[in-house]
Amino acid sequence: MLVSSDVLAFEINNAPDIQRKRILQLIGQQSSKVIPLTESIRQRAKIYETSGLQAFDALHLASAEGEVDVFLTDIPHPYS
């Protein structure tokens, strides 16, 4: 089962690369569940930020925590 989040939807909708945005939207449409952004997720993300994660990365991780068995992320290649 593929799970998504409000955080991911926001990031996809604001992606500047149109081709990448379309691909991510297609993948997102396959999600069986969307995790809503809550105050507890925001608070947990702040803890991750103090450990060095960037804001969106912290929100993604906090959204997935306790909800999924495997957390997949896409880190752009530095030369792409």
Side-chain angles (χ1 to χ4, degrees):
M1 174 171 63
L2 185 62
V3 177
S4 186
S5 70
D6 286 345
V7 177
L8 181 60
F10 177 84
E11 194 167 21
I12 290 171
N13 287 334
N14 290 286
D17 182 327
I18 299 301
Q19 182 177 0
R20 181 176 170 85
K21 179 178 183 173
R22 287 185 184 144
I23 291 168
L24 292 173
Q25 286 173 328
L26 288 172
I27 293 169
Q29 291 172 357
Q30 303 303 310
S31 297
S32 302
K33 178 179 180 180
V34 176
I35 300 168
L37 181 59
T38 64
E39 186 57 33
S40 62
I41 288 174
R42 286 185 179 101
Q43 293 303 316
R44 185 69 176 153
K46 287 180 183 180
I47 294 169
Y48 288 131
E49 284 184 72
T50 63
S51 298
L53 286 179
Q54 298 294 317
F56 269 107
D57 295 332
L59 284 167
H60 287 302
L61 184 56
S63 295
E65 189 175 45
E67 296 284 340
V68 300
D69 295 323
V70 177
F71 178 70
L72 301 175
T73 186
D74 177 28
I75 300 172
H77 190 279
Y79 303 110
S80 60

